[in-house]
Amino acid sequence: MPEFTTPPLPYDYASLEPTIDTLTMQIHHDKHHATYVTNLNAALKEFPAITEQSIEVILINLDTLPVPDATRMAIRNNGGGHANHTMFWEIMTPGGSNVPTGALAETINATFGDFESLKKAINEAGTKRFGSGWSWLVADNMGALSVVSTPNQDSPLSIGKTPLLGVDVWEHAYYLKYQNKRADYLAAWWAVVNWDKVAERFAAVKG
Ligand code: MN
């Protein structure tokens, strides 16, 4: 049966300095993400047919997977953790556009007013998230945008939305450098978003 694997970080651990420090990147990718993958594979050990599907398809169909509830919860947490982090590394690549461009920029302006208003909405959702979770820019299957927050490692895919951009607000994502100051981390984080990658995800939704 195929096993899920942790994709290599697509750039150096130090590439997001000074916004995200090297040690945080090492622990976050090599330990946290890798542990979600290990636990996902363990949860699916008795259900090899499910591993034939992509993690995205598994999460879209989470509620109807033919598995016991304990396994469904393990997939929700660890499969979500795997998918969420895979996207997180991809949209933070160094380089690329630092602001939205093209059709995505037009849709952001039409939906939120302007880019600053979108950032404010995502930062607010991330700041208000009690405990651990994510703040997201998502699209529905018509390409309409919205900002949502999810607890823990819940994926927007499981509520019918496609994540275009997400910021991890678990303490493990920021605590070494920002300690308790989640709002400071959120304010700084925008400097490392690669909007070319977000635009690719939007284009894939629009077909
Ligand atoms: Mn994380």
Side-chain angles (χ1 to χ4, degrees):
M1 80 184 215
E3 285 217 318
F4 290 99
T5 55
T6 310
L9 194 67
Y11 39 82
D12 192 83
Y13 296 105
S15 296
L16 306 180
E17 292 269 10
T19 306
I20 303 180
D21 60 284
T22 303
L23 183 58
T24 293
M25 289 299 289
Q26 287 170 335
I27 297 170
H28 201 173
H29 177 273
D30 296 2
K31 306 298 182 189
H32 289 280
H33 188 169
T35 299
Y36 294 126
V37 172
T38 299
N39 291 342
L40 174 63
N41 286 326
L44 290 173
K45 206 170 170 52
E46 309 295 323
F47 306 96
I50 292 176
T51 67
E52 304 289 338
Q53 304 165 56
S54 71
I55 191 58
E56 287 81 11
V57 169
I58 291 171
L59 291 169
I60 287 168
N61 298 317
L62 182 66
D63 288 347
T64 54
L65 291 176
V67 295
D69 284 347
T71 303
R72 191 183 323 281
M73 182 57 83
I75 296 169
R76 177 175 171 177
N77 290 336
N78 296 290
H82 175 39
N84 294 344
H85 287 85
T86 299
M87 177 225 61
F88 191 53
W89 313 132
E90 287 174 0
I91 61 153
M92 290 196 300
T93 57
S97 177
N98 199 232
V99 293
T101 57
L104 177 57
E106 288 168 21
T107 310
I108 286 171
N109 292 342
T111 308
F112 302 99
D114 56 25
F115 179 39
E116 287 305 313
S117 300
L118 167 65
K119 289 200 282 189
K120 194 172 167 219
I122 288 179
N123 289 356
E124 195 170 292
T127 305
K128 283 184 176 166
R129 165 55 52 199
F130 184 77
S132 298
W134 292 74
S135 182
W136 306 94
L137 173 65
V138 298
D140 69 13
N141 55 17
M142 302 296 287
L145 303 180
S146 56
V147 168
V148 299
S149 170
T150 58
N152 305 312
Q153 294 296 350
D154 287 5
S155 169
L157 293 168
S158 303
I159 52 169
K161 309 284 190 185
T162 299
L164 303 182
L165 168 148
V167 56
D168 188 343
V169 299
W170 284 59
E171 286 186 344
H172 69 226
Y174 63 86
Y175 207 84
L176 293 181
K177 182 176 170 78
Y178 297 90
Q179 293 83 45
N180 59 312
K181 300 183 282 288
R182 184 188 287 183
D184 289 1
Y185 156 71
L186 283 165
W189 179 75
W190 296 97
V192 294
V193 175
N194 182 339
W195 282 93
D196 293 348
K197 298 292 181 185
V198 183
E200 285 172 20
R201 300 177 67 86
F202 184 58
V205 172
K206 299 274 282 180

